[in-house]
Amino acid sequence: GAVVSQHPSWVICKSGTSVKIECRSLDFQATTMFWYRQFPKQSLMLMATSNEGSKATYEQGVEKDKFLINHASLTLSTLTVTSAHPEDSSFYICSARIRAHEQYFGPGTRLTVT
Amino acid sequence: AQKITQTQPGMFVQEKEAVTLDCTYDTSDQSYGLFWYKQPSSGEMIFLIYQGSYDEQNATEGRYSLNFQKARKSANLVISASQLGDSAMYFCAMREWTGTASKLTFGTGTRLQVTL
């Protein structure tokens, strides 16, 4: 299958700082990428859909000013958690879609805010 | 209302046995897709199998097969000849279209433990 990478794989930051997470499709171009959040022992919740060259579409309840998404190229989308707080600590997973029934996930980024 | 329901929080199966993981879904769309993903402790989501709503035959991928019963709105995953490496969380997901966009909605998952 296709390969999606994420960087960093884990990050610890202090409350009030911002953290950027990168998601790259390594061997294909992705016009659409998705960002999910997963709390321990829970399911994946879609945060936003990122489209190359346009604004991201956020799910209801997700603060767009807090979770900034940029999809500057066909192989890179970034999620920036601004002014992070301990409640933002979570596992963030990106995903890229090749075709309607082929969606591949990155390995995830574990964010801990102290 | 839950779009995807996985009623088994945890399952045990002996090595080399088959196991069925349940998944039911709710949609009024005619066109949709059903997926199963495996998430080992490392966290990565691994695609296992896909079933389109118009596919007449049940999908199969190696030891994985999807028991698709459209009228019952169920899409159970069958893993044959279980292996220790199959121990993981398993998520059922559905793709629905809203206009020109689509998104994947996940169930709450089933934790499978394969024992000797």
Side-chain angles (χ1 to χ4, degrees):
Chain A
V3 179
V4 177
S5 73
Q6 271 184 252
H7 178 81
S9 53
W10 59 271
V11 57
I12 302 172
C13 71
K14 289 189 176 179
S15 190
T17 61
S18 295
V19 175
K20 180 186 283 189
I21 303 170
E22 292 186 348
C23 175
R24 294 181 186 273
S25 54
L26 296 186
D27 50 0
F28 65 99
Q29 292 183 329
T31 54
T32 304
M33 289 185 173
F34 304 88
W35 286 95
Y36 294 83
R37 183 174 181 176
Q38 185 180 29
F39 289 107
K41 299 186 179 181
Q42 294 190 24
S43 186
L44 279 72
M45 299 300 295
L46 179 65
M47 298 175 66
T49 302
S50 167
N51 295 296
E52 186 267 337
S54 64
K55 289 183 180 180
T57 303
Y58 290 81
E59 294 299 301
Q60 195 171 15
V62 177
E63 299 175 58
K64 58 181 68 175
D65 293 331
K66 180 166 186 63
F67 298 100
L68 301 179
I69 291 172
N70 185 278
H71 195 156
S73 76
L74 288 171
T75 59
L76 174 65
S77 176
T78 60
L79 168 69
T80 301
V81 183
T82 62
S83 186
H85 290 286
E87 57 265 30
D88 298 325
S89 298
S90 188
F91 193 54
Y92 292 88
I93 307 176
C94 76
S95 176
R97 186 169 73 210
I98 299 178
R99 286 175 279 276
H101 60 278
E102 287 188 60
Q103 186 166 330
Y104 296 93
F105 288 78
T109 297
R110 190 163 302 283
L111 170 65
T112 301
V113 185
T114 60
Chain B
Q2 285 278 3
K3 292 270 189 179
I4 295 284
T5 302
Q6 293 181 253
T7 57
Q8 307 153 313
M11 289 281 286
F12 285 90
V13 65
Q14 267 194 322
E15 197 181 18
K16 299 178 187 175
E17 297 292 311
V19 63
T20 298
L21 306 184
D22 295 341
C23 173
T24 57
Y25 59 92
D26 181 28
T27 182
S28 56
D29 292 348
Q30 296 300 309
S31 178
Y32 52 89
L34 297 157
F35 300 74
W36 277 92
Y37 286 88
K38 172 183 178 182
Q39 187 180 42
S41 56
S42 59
E44 184 174 1
M45 297 290 283
I46 302 168
F47 168 74
L48 296 179
I49 197 165
Y50 167 82
Q51 179 86 41
S53 58
Y54 293 117
D55 295 340
E56 294 186 351
Q57 288 194 329
N58 287 344
T60 59
E61 289 285 351
R63 294 185 299 110
Y64 305 109
S65 60
L66 200 152
N67 184 0
F68 182 44
Q69 297 190 39
K70 197 170 183 177
R72 294 185 179 182
K73 294 188 176 178
S74 75
N76 299 337
L77 176 71
V78 180
I79 305 174
S80 62
S82 297
Q83 302 171 355
L84 294 178
D86 294 335
S87 295
M89 278 292 287
Y90 288 81
F91 290 97
C92 178
M94 177 171 64
R95 177 179 306 292
E96 293 180 289
W97 276 262
T98 53
T100 57
S102 71
K103 63 180 183 180
L104 214 54
T105 302
F106 287 84
T108 51
T110 295
R111 181 167 297 281
L112 178 67
Q113 186 68 46
V114 181
T115 61
L116 291 170

